[in-house]
PDB file of all heavy atoms in Angstrom:
ATOM      1  N   ASN A  28      22.670  -6.029-126.606  1.00  0.00           N
ATOM      2  CA  ASN A  28      23.470  -4.893-127.042  1.00  0.00           C
ATOM      3  C   ASN A  28      24.013  -4.114-125.887  1.00  0.00           C
ATOM      4  O   ASN A  28      25.190  -3.581-125.933  1.00  0.00           O
ATOM      5  CB  ASN A  28      22.512  -4.041-127.877  1.00  0.00           C
ATOM      6  CG  ASN A  28      22.163  -4.632-129.254  1.00  0.00           C
ATOM      7  OD1 ASN A  28      22.744  -5.633-129.612  1.00  0.00           O
ATOM      8  ND2 ASN A  28      21.229  -3.947-129.964  1.00  0.00           N
ATOM      9  N   ALA A  31      27.113  -6.019-124.775  1.00  0.00           N
ATOM     10  CA  ALA A  31      28.144  -5.999-125.691  1.00  0.00           C
ATOM     11  C   ALA A  31      28.821  -4.637-125.693  1.00  0.00           C
ATOM     12  O   ALA A  31      30.059  -4.516-125.685  1.00  0.00           O
ATOM     13  CB  ALA A  31      27.556  -6.220-127.108  1.00  0.00           C
ATOM     14  N   PHE A  32      28.008  -3.574-125.549  1.00  0.00           N
ATOM     15  CA  PHE A  32      28.521  -2.227-125.500  1.00  0.00           C
ATOM     16  C   PHE A  32      29.404  -2.035-124.277  1.00  0.00           C
ATOM     17  O   PHE A  32      30.473  -1.476-124.175  1.00  0.00           O
ATOM     18  CB  PHE A  32      27.517  -1.177-125.548  1.00  0.00           C
ATOM     19  CG  PHE A  32      27.991   0.267-125.396  1.00  0.00           C
ATOM     20  CD1 PHE A  32      28.512   0.922-126.381  1.00  0.00           C
ATOM     21  CD2 PHE A  32      27.869   0.917-124.173  1.00  0.00           C
ATOM     22  CE1 PHE A  32      29.023   2.183-126.337  1.00  0.00           C
ATOM     23  CE2 PHE A  32      28.364   2.214-123.965  1.00  0.00           C
ATOM     24  CZ  PHE A  32      28.935   2.857-125.134  1.00  0.00           C
ATOM     25  N   LEU A  35      32.682  -3.963-124.596  1.00  0.00           N
ATOM     26  CA  LEU A  35      33.557  -3.271-125.554  1.00  0.00           C
ATOM     27  C   LEU A  35      34.088  -1.878-124.921  1.00  0.00           C
ATOM     28  O   LEU A  35      35.262  -1.543-125.108  1.00  0.00           O
ATOM     29  CB  LEU A  35      32.811  -3.019-126.864  1.00  0.00           C
ATOM     30  CG  LEU A  35      33.672  -2.386-127.998  1.00  0.00           C
ATOM     31  CD1 LEU A  35      34.888  -3.246-128.328  1.00  0.00           C
ATOM     32  CD2 LEU A  35      32.763  -2.218-129.245  1.00  0.00           C
ATOM     33  N   ILE A  39      38.150  -1.176-124.374  1.00  0.00           N
ATOM     34  CA  ILE A  39      38.779  -0.025-125.051  1.00  0.00           C
ATOM     35  C   ILE A  39      39.394   0.902-123.956  1.00  0.00           C
ATOM     36  O   ILE A  39      40.525   1.424-124.144  1.00  0.00           O
ATOM     37  CB  ILE A  39      37.864   0.692-125.992  1.00  0.00           C
ATOM     38  CG1 ILE A  39      37.403  -0.295-127.075  1.00  0.00           C
ATOM     39  CG2 ILE A  39      38.498   1.920-126.534  1.00  0.00           C
ATOM     40  CD1 ILE A  39      36.333   0.344-128.012  1.00  0.00           C
ATOM     41  N   ALA A 111      36.127   5.638-126.500  1.00  0.00           N
ATOM     42  CA  ALA A 111      35.650   4.258-126.326  1.00  0.00           C
ATOM     43  C   ALA A 111      34.110   4.306-126.572  1.00  0.00           C
ATOM     44  O   ALA A 111      33.540   3.369-127.124  1.00  0.00           O
ATOM     45  CB  ALA A 111      35.894   3.850-124.809  1.00  0.00           C
ATOM     46  N   GLY A 112      33.429   5.329-126.118  1.00  0.00           N
ATOM     47  CA  GLY A 112      31.999   5.491-126.382  1.00  0.00           C
ATOM     48  C   GLY A 112      31.696   5.524-127.870  1.00  0.00           C
ATOM     49  O   GLY A 112      30.643   4.883-128.345  1.00  0.00           O
ATOM     50  N   ALA A 113      32.513   6.240-128.673  1.00  0.00           N
ATOM     51  CA  ALA A 113      32.228   6.412-130.018  1.00  0.00           C
ATOM     52  C   ALA A 113      32.445   5.050-130.797  1.00  0.00           C
ATOM     53  O   ALA A 113      31.676   4.658-131.615  1.00  0.00           O
ATOM     54  CB  ALA A 113      33.134   7.537-130.681  1.00  0.00           C
ATOM     55  N   ILE A 114      33.601   4.410-130.529  1.00  0.00           N
ATOM     56  CA  ILE A 114      33.832   3.124-131.055  1.00  0.00           C
ATOM     57  C   ILE A 114      32.656   2.063-130.758  1.00  0.00           C
ATOM     58  O   ILE A 114      32.160   1.408-131.615  1.00  0.00           O
ATOM     59  CB  ILE A 114      35.183   2.581-130.648  1.00  0.00           C
ATOM     60  CG1 ILE A 114      36.246   3.465-131.154  1.00  0.00           C
ATOM     61  CG2 ILE A 114      35.400   1.192-131.200  1.00  0.00           C
ATOM     62  CD1 ILE A 114      37.710   3.070-130.724  1.00  0.00           C
ATOM     63  N   GLY A 115      32.378   2.054-129.455  1.00  0.00           N
ATOM     64  CA  GLY A 115      31.274   1.146-129.117  1.00  0.00           C
ATOM     65  C   GLY A 115      29.959   1.461-129.635  1.00  0.00           C
ATOM     66  O   GLY A 115      29.198   0.644-130.062  1.00  0.00           O
ATOM     67  N   GLY A 116      29.613   2.765-129.752  1.00  0.00           N
ATOM     68  CA  GLY A 116      28.376   3.219-130.411  1.00  0.00           C
ATOM     69  C   GLY A 116      28.280   2.822-131.936  1.00  0.00           C
ATOM     70  O   GLY A 116      27.242   2.305-132.367  1.00  0.00           O
ATOM     71  N   TYR A 117      29.504   2.942-132.562  1.00  0.00           N
ATOM     72  CA  TYR A 117      29.552   2.596-134.034  1.00  0.00           C
ATOM     73  C   TYR A 117      29.414   1.137-134.217  1.00  0.00           C
ATOM     74  O   TYR A 117      28.701   0.654-135.109  1.00  0.00           O
ATOM     75  CB  TYR A 117      30.864   3.084-134.604  1.00  0.00           C
ATOM     76  CG  TYR A 117      30.953   2.817-136.112  1.00  0.00           C
ATOM     77  CD1 TYR A 117      30.479   3.770-136.950  1.00  0.00           C
ATOM     78  CD2 TYR A 117      31.577   1.699-136.606  1.00  0.00           C
ATOM     79  CE1 TYR A 117      30.536   3.570-138.369  1.00  0.00           C
ATOM     80  CE2 TYR A 117      31.624   1.471-137.919  1.00  0.00           C
ATOM     81  CZ  TYR A 117      31.137   2.391-138.880  1.00  0.00           C
ATOM     82  OH  TYR A 117      31.290   2.173-140.211  1.00  0.00           O
ATOM     83  N   ALA A 118      30.030   0.383-133.350  1.00  0.00           N
ATOM     84  CA  ALA A 118      30.100  -1.148-133.580  1.00  0.00           C
ATOM     85  C   ALA A 118      28.840  -1.800-133.045  1.00  0.00           C
ATOM     86  O   ALA A 118      28.387  -2.751-133.697  1.00  0.00           O
ATOM     87  CB  ALA A 118      31.351  -1.683-132.727  1.00  0.00           C
ATOM     88  N   VAL A 119      28.290  -1.318-131.971  1.00  0.00           N
ATOM     89  CA  VAL A 119      27.062  -2.035-131.403  1.00  0.00           C
ATOM     90  C   VAL A 119      25.765  -1.371-131.809  1.00  0.00           C
ATOM     91  O   VAL A 119      24.799  -2.011-132.331  1.00  0.00           O
ATOM     92  CB  VAL A 119      27.192  -2.062-129.878  1.00  0.00           C
ATOM     93  CG1 VAL A 119      25.941  -2.746-129.221  1.00  0.00           C
ATOM     94  CG2 VAL A 119      28.462  -2.806-129.367  1.00  0.00           C
ATOM     95  N   TRP A 120      25.632  -0.038-131.550  1.00  0.00           N
ATOM     96  CA  TRP A 120      24.438   0.631-131.764  1.00  0.00           C
ATOM     97  C   TRP A 120      24.230   1.214-133.180  1.00  0.00           C
ATOM     98  O   TRP A 120      23.253   1.687-133.618  1.00  0.00           O
ATOM     99  CB  TRP A 120      24.225   1.811-130.757  1.00  0.00           C
ATOM    100  CG  TRP A 120      24.276   1.388-129.428  1.00  0.00           C
ATOM    101  CD1 TRP A 120      25.319   1.532-128.510  1.00  0.00           C
ATOM    102  CD2 TRP A 120      23.370   0.553-128.644  1.00  0.00           C
ATOM    103  NE1 TRP A 120      25.137   1.030-127.320  1.00  0.00           N
ATOM    104  CE2 TRP A 120      23.924   0.346-127.301  1.00  0.00           C
ATOM    105  CE3 TRP A 120      22.151   0.115-128.911  1.00  0.00           C
ATOM    106  CZ2 TRP A 120      23.259  -0.333-126.359  1.00  0.00           C
ATOM    107  CZ3 TRP A 120      21.447  -0.578-127.961  1.00  0.00           C
ATOM    108  CH2 TRP A 120      21.994  -0.802-126.615  1.00  0.00           C
ATOM    109  N   GLY A 121      25.389   1.106-133.937  1.00  0.00           N
ATOM    110  CA  GLY A 121      25.324   1.612-135.317  1.00  0.00           C
ATOM    111  C   GLY A 121      24.555   0.811-136.321  1.00  0.00           C
ATOM    112  O   GLY A 121      24.112   1.236-137.456  1.00  0.00           O
ATOM    113  N   ARG A 122      24.211  -0.442-135.973  1.00  0.00           N
ATOM    114  CA  ARG A 122      23.405  -1.349-136.781  1.00  0.00           C
ATOM    115  C   ARG A 122      21.963  -0.949-136.621  1.00  0.00           C
ATOM    116  O   ARG A 122      21.426  -1.098-135.393  1.00  0.00           O
ATOM    117  CB  ARG A 122      23.643  -2.825-136.453  1.00  0.00           C
ATOM    118  CG  ARG A 122      22.851  -3.855-137.317  1.00  0.00           C
ATOM    119  CD  ARG A 122      23.158  -5.231-136.903  1.00  0.00           C
ATOM    120  NE  ARG A 122      22.859  -5.359-135.453  1.00  0.00           N
ATOM    121  CZ  ARG A 122      21.654  -5.572-134.995  1.00  0.00           C
ATOM    122  NH1 ARG A 122      20.577  -5.706-135.835  1.00  0.00           N
ATOM    123  NH2 ARG A 122      21.446  -5.763-133.710  1.00  0.00           N
ATOM    124  N   TYR A 123      21.301  -0.578-137.628  1.00  0.00           N
ATOM    125  CA  TYR A 123      19.933  -0.072-137.489  1.00  0.00           C
ATOM    126  C   TYR A 123      18.964  -1.283-137.093  1.00  0.00           C
ATOM    127  O   TYR A 123      18.971  -2.323-137.754  1.00  0.00           O
ATOM    128  CB  TYR A 123      19.423   0.563-138.750  1.00  0.00           C
ATOM    129  CG  TYR A 123      17.980   0.998-138.583  1.00  0.00           C
ATOM    130  CD1 TYR A 123      17.707   2.235-138.002  1.00  0.00           C
ATOM    131  CD2 TYR A 123      16.892   0.262-139.093  1.00  0.00           C
ATOM    132  CE1 TYR A 123      16.351   2.587-137.798  1.00  0.00           C
ATOM    133  CE2 TYR A 123      15.582   0.690-138.941  1.00  0.00           C
ATOM    134  CZ  TYR A 123      15.301   1.751-138.305  1.00  0.00           C
ATOM    135  OH  TYR A 123      13.921   2.201-138.178  1.00  0.00           O
ATOM    136  N   ASN A 127      17.756  -0.345-131.444  1.00  0.00           N
ATOM    137  CA  ASN A 127      18.881   0.600-131.462  1.00  0.00           C
ATOM    138  C   ASN A 127      18.411   1.939-131.799  1.00  0.00           C
ATOM    139  O   ASN A 127      18.973   2.933-131.273  1.00  0.00           O
ATOM    140  CB  ASN A 127      19.949   0.072-132.451  1.00  0.00           C
ATOM    141  CG  ASN A 127      20.554  -1.159-132.078  1.00  0.00           C
ATOM    142  OD1 ASN A 127      20.361  -1.582-130.930  1.00  0.00           O
ATOM    143  ND2 ASN A 127      21.461  -1.709-132.974  1.00  0.00           N
TER     144      ASN A 127
END
Side-chain angles (χ1 to χ4, degrees):
N28 289 353
F32 176 82
L35 182 59
I39 295 174
I114 295 175
Y117 183 88
V119 177
W120 304 107
R122 180 183 58 84
Y123 177 81
N127 290 355

